[in-house]
Amino acid sequence: MITKPLAASCRWWRNPIALLSAVCCPVLAYAASDAPGRLLQPAAVVIHVHDQITDQRFVPLLVARLARTLAPAIRTSAAKIDLAPFRPWIGAIDAHALLDAFAGRFDWQRDPAAIQIVIIDDDIRLKPSRFSFAASAGDAGTPFHLSIVSLARLQRLAGDDRRDSNPDRTAERAFKLIAKNVARLSGYGGSTLCLFAFPRSLTELDATPESFCEPDLAALVAAGIARPMPR
């Protein structure tokens, strides 16, 4: 559960907002680095599901996909934070503001090797993009590793009870974004193959393979980030 006050977690940053802004990257416009150097071996990937997401049937399906593909333990938690102050009159929430707010609710010194993933149902954006599927902050050299995933365009809700029309498809879409961002936050860059493709639309995201491919997979397995493909 995300509850830690912002000031308590950020007292060791001189300028947390500027620091996050310098390193966060929208999925749609991730600037790939050169060949990967030192990689972080994640201790865990923690999926925080915002409590305002009405249909969470996709969550166990997502966790199962991640557990098959990623080497670290996958844990889930509830994310309780009021998003109303971040919502503009028109358009999507500014992802920079959300990254800063969410980052302040984790104790990064206590668990520096954990990767925290927050899933919300609000639309987000990182300028100049009109929208972003996700936004991230951190790499192998930072003490924080955070990604926000927006369900606004991934999940299709219908009816008065706002039921997900296809939870498995929602899980697949979120999985692709999270698996890639776990590798990126661990310091792996320089590839646009398979899961590392840069989808600029939902159609492109759906067409992206659900797996890492070589030579990326071998490097990620050796670093303790991914699991080998089953034979």
Side-chain angles (χ1 to χ4, degrees):
M1 184 182 299
I2 303 175
T3 57
K4 191 172 182 65
L6 179 63
S9 180
C10 292
R11 63 180 179 270
W12 48 282
W13 292 347
R14 291 186 176 181
N15 190 340
I17 295 177
L19 185 59
L20 285 166
S21 300
V23 297
C24 67
C25 312
V27 167
L28 298 182
Y30 192 99
S33 66
D34 294 330
R38 184 179 66 85
L39 299 179
L40 170 77
Q41 182 175 352
V45 175
V46 188
I47 310 296
H48 303 270
V49 184
H50 195 256
D51 60 351
Q52 291 184 359
I53 296 175
T54 56
D55 191 342
Q56 299 190 12
R57 289 177 298 154
F58 74 94
V59 175
L61 302 171
L62 168 63
V63 170
R65 275 183 162 90
L66 291 170
R68 287 195 300 267
T69 303
L70 299 178
I74 310 298
R75 304 200 301 260
T76 59
S77 174
K80 295 185 177 182
I81 183 172
D82 184 10
L83 296 179
F86 301 96
R87 293 175 181 135
W89 288 104
I90 299 175
I93 293 177
D94 175 58
H96 284 151
L98 275 188
L99 284 168
D100 186 46
F102 280 130
R105 284 160 171 80
F106 297 105
D107 187 345
W108 301 105
Q109 290 177 310
R110 185 184 66 181
D111 204 2
I115 294 180
Q116 311 289 347
I117 310 291
V118 182
I119 302 178
I120 64 174
D121 59 0
D122 285 78
D123 216 0
I124 62 173
R125 66 172 298 194
L126 283 166
K127 296 178 181 179
S129 64
R130 185 170 54 87
F131 72 91
S132 298
F133 292 132
S136 299
D139 58 30
T142 64
F144 53 88
H145 310 91
L146 171 66
S147 184
I148 298 173
V149 175
S150 166
L151 290 186
R153 298 167 192 269
L154 308 183
Q155 188 179 48
R156 290 291 177 263
L157 302 176
D160 294 337
D161 58 354
R162 291 176 59 79
R163 296 275 284 181
D164 191 336
S165 61
N166 192 336
D168 189 65
R169 180 181 60 185
T170 301
E172 176 187 340
R173 290 168 171 172
F175 160 78
K176 292 176 180 179
L177 299 170
I178 293 170
K180 173 167 65 174
N181 278 356
V182 166
R184 296 298 196 197
L185 288 169
S186 300
Y188 193 86
S191 176
T192 59
L193 302 174
C194 300
L195 266 179
F196 287 118
F198 304 143
R200 293 175 175 80
S201 67
L202 201 55
T203 299
E204 290 185 5
L205 178 62
D206 287 341
T208 301
E210 267 195 271
S211 60
F212 298 111
C213 57
E214 300 296 357
D216 302 320
L217 180 59
L220 294 171
V221 169
I225 298 167
R227 296 185 184 277
M229 289 285 289
R231 295 183 181 276

